[in-house]
Amino acid sequence: MRAALYIDAGSVIVDDVPDPVIQADTDAIVRVVRSCVCGSDLWSYRDTFKREPRSRYGHEFIGVVEQVGSAVQTAKVGDLVVAPFSYGCGTCWWCEQGLPTSCPNRGTWGIGTEDGGQGEALRTPYADANLVVAPGGLAAYDDAGLLDLLACTDVMATGLHGAVMAGVGEGSTAVVVGDGAVGLSAVLGATQILGAERVILLSRNPARQELGRRFGATDVVAERGEDAKRAVLELTDGHGAAHVIEAVGTAQSWQTALDAVSDGGMIGAVGVPHTAPTLDSKTLLVRNVGVRLGICPVRRYLDDLVGRVVAGTLKPGAVFDVTLPLEQTPEAYALMDRREAIKVALVP
Ligand SMILES: [Zn+2]
Ligand SMILES: [Zn+2]
């Protein structure tokens, strides 16, 4: 079968790899229907860190179950399934707490020796614990519906997780720092799922501003640095927002989050800190500002998100502004690297 492989910084190829096979009776083989490139895939592409040459790429996919191990009961051959970007065993203490990201048997697609989502098929361990069946099967969804389901595998869940960690609730005022797919999804989660009344999105890109408004942002701040701080304070009666979602992970975005949050407020951070921002704990103490960071335990949110997509009340798939065939995965990376696409979907 064909799959995207990391070669070196700036180099992704699509090549022949062995077909996946069942290794444990809890495995399933899933044939990919849609996958995509993640902002986090760009770190190795941009040489922020090295991967093993010819390691698989991609951790976001939906697909059709092709084969199941003898112990798999939930997923049936032919089912359309939505996978969280990382899996857990489903039976340990951590998984029972809804934190499969801390499961001792966890894994992430496309990391280490795991099959990647940017390919034609994958072996999925602990299928019952992780794969969520989309009712009706493949025939029940049009292209937009498939992209809505695909968004739930990471960015929609991660954006929502940021808003949850920031304490967003009914009537909240929130600021979202970051206009990538996760930041935009945080806007959607804050407004349509958690009931925020006012969401201020920081974005300088017209297309992203427009999508942010469609997703429920009431205000857009295009300024950066001190000017952004001034603009947010003006929009919040000089206080700042009680809830801030940090969806970038750079030193600058953290400073913006600290500038935007009101004293007594909470920052929920889902942007992986790749430039190691330093937080001044004394400032946080004096200002009574809380900070919560977390990789999203997607499985915790997945039943609810898929249910909303199936009901037609949540349409997060609009973050995909380009769709390409799997063979053009290198072009997908280049487009996202140049910020010419928000998020690129891939069709095997
Ligand atoms: Zn991702
Ligand atoms: Zn577990």
Side-chain angles (χ1 to χ4, degrees), residues 36-41 58-60 85 153-155 158 182 343:
C36 53
V37 181
C38 183
S40 63
D41 293 329
H59 54 259
E60 301 164 32
F85 71 75
T153 65
D154 183 352
V155 292
T158 296
V182 171
K343 196 164 176 69

Side-chain angles (χ1 to χ4, degrees), residues 312-330:
T313 57
L314 186 73
K315 296 184 184 300
V319 294
F320 296 101
D321 51 348
V322 177
T323 298
L324 291 174
L326 176 67
E327 293 296 327
Q328 288 180 34
T329 302

Side-chain angles (χ1 to χ4, degrees), residues 97-308:
Q97 308 303 308
L99 208 60
T101 42
S102 294
C103 170
N105 301 308
R106 67 186 177 272
T108 300
W109 320 114
I111 298 291
T113 57
E114 302 293 343
D115 291 342
Q118 294 160 17
E120 290 185 303
L122 304 88
R123 178 183 77 92
T124 63
Y126 309 111
D128 277 339
N130 296 285
L131 303 178
V132 172
V133 177
L138 188 54
Y141 301 87
D142 60 10
D143 197 58
L146 293 175
L147 294 180
D148 288 332
L149 292 173
L150 179 63
C152 297
T153 65
D154 183 352
V155 292
M156 183 61 236
T158 296
L160 175 61
H161 187 55
V164 167
M165 289 193 300
V168 174
E170 287 291 335
S172 290
T173 294
V175 167
V176 176
V177 181
D179 64 358
V182 171
L184 293 166
S185 300
V187 173
L188 191 59
T191 55
Q192 291 193 18
I193 296 178
L194 300 175
E197 194 173 290
R198 190 149 188 223
V199 175
I200 302 164
L201 172 67
L202 271 63
S203 172
R204 298 203 295 190
N205 177 306
R208 296 170 191 232
Q209 291 174 349
E210 200 257 305
L211 184 54
R213 287 192 189 277
R214 264 172 63 197
F215 277 0
T218 49
D219 305 89
V220 172
V221 167
E223 290 86 352
R224 286 222 173 147
E226 279 297 312
D227 293 335
K229 178 180 182 177
R230 203 171 304 118
V232 169
L233 290 178
E234 268 172 28
L235 289 167
T236 53
D237 296 328
H239 304 132
H243 314 279
V244 174
I245 297 118
E246 197 292 310
V248 184
T250 63
Q252 188 193 25
S253 65
W254 268 97
Q255 187 56 53
T256 303
L258 288 163
D259 288 343
V261 72
S262 63
D263 285 15
M266 178 67 102
I267 299 172
V270 287
V272 178
H274 47 288
T275 52
T278 48
L279 294 176
D280 177 6
S281 54
K282 190 174 174 192
T283 300
L284 297 177
L285 180 137
V286 169
R287 295 184 57 199
N288 272 285
V289 165
V291 172
R292 188 157 181 204
L293 302 91
I295 185 168
C296 183
V298 174
R299 187 63 185 85
R300 183 193 299 179
Y301 299 103
L302 205 48
D303 289 313
D304 177 59
L305 292 176
V306 169
R308 289 172 190 267

Side-chain angles (χ1 to χ4, degrees), residues 25-36:
D25 58 6
T26 49
D27 287 352
I29 303 298
V30 175
R31 185 145 295 272
V32 175
V33 170
R34 292 288 184 281
S35 67
C36 53

